[in-house]
Amino acid sequence: GTQSPEMAAVLPRLGQLYFSQDRFKEAEHHFWRTYEIKQTLLGDDALEVAECLQSLAELYEVQSEYIQAERFY
């Protein structure tokens, strides 16, 4: 399903692929979906949730969106 652990495993890989191709909007979408799923499945304190936020921070930093990036560091 759309909230499954399998989906949470695939989405960040797609996000990283888009990120590496400078397709930042697509990467952002996949990173946010991953965050939402993992937060629902694992809770706010899970390491995997923090890793999602790290990916978002890096994405925003690369785009010089420093204020947005700072929210996630």
Side-chain angles (χ1 to χ4, degrees), residues 2-49:
T2 60
Q3 294 284 336
S4 70
E6 293 81 12
M7 184 67 74
V10 170
L11 287 173
R13 291 184 184 130
L14 288 172
Q16 288 296 335
L17 176 64
Y18 288 131
F19 182 88
S20 71
Q21 296 173 342
D22 295 338
R23 295 170 61 183
F24 299 127
K25 282 295 174 199
E26 291 100 330
E28 180 182 27
H29 171 76
H30 285 80
F31 290 153
W32 273 113
R33 274 301 289 138
T34 303
Y35 169 75
E36 292 166 354
I37 293 169
K38 288 188 177 187
Q39 185 183 40
T40 299
L41 294 175
L42 304 172
D44 287 330
D45 296 329
L47 177 61
E48 290 183 41
V49 173

Side-chain angles (χ1 to χ4, degrees), residues 28 32 35-36 39 49-50 52-61 64-73:
E28 180 182 27
W32 273 113
Y35 169 75
E36 292 166 354
Q39 185 183 40
V49 173
C52 294
L53 296 176
Q54 177 73 29
S55 294
L56 285 162
E58 291 171 4
L59 174 72
Y60 293 128
E61 187 174 359
S64 300
E65 295 180 26
Y66 301 115
I67 293 172
Q68 187 80 331
E70 189 175 292
R71 292 178 44 210
F72 303 111
Y73 278 123

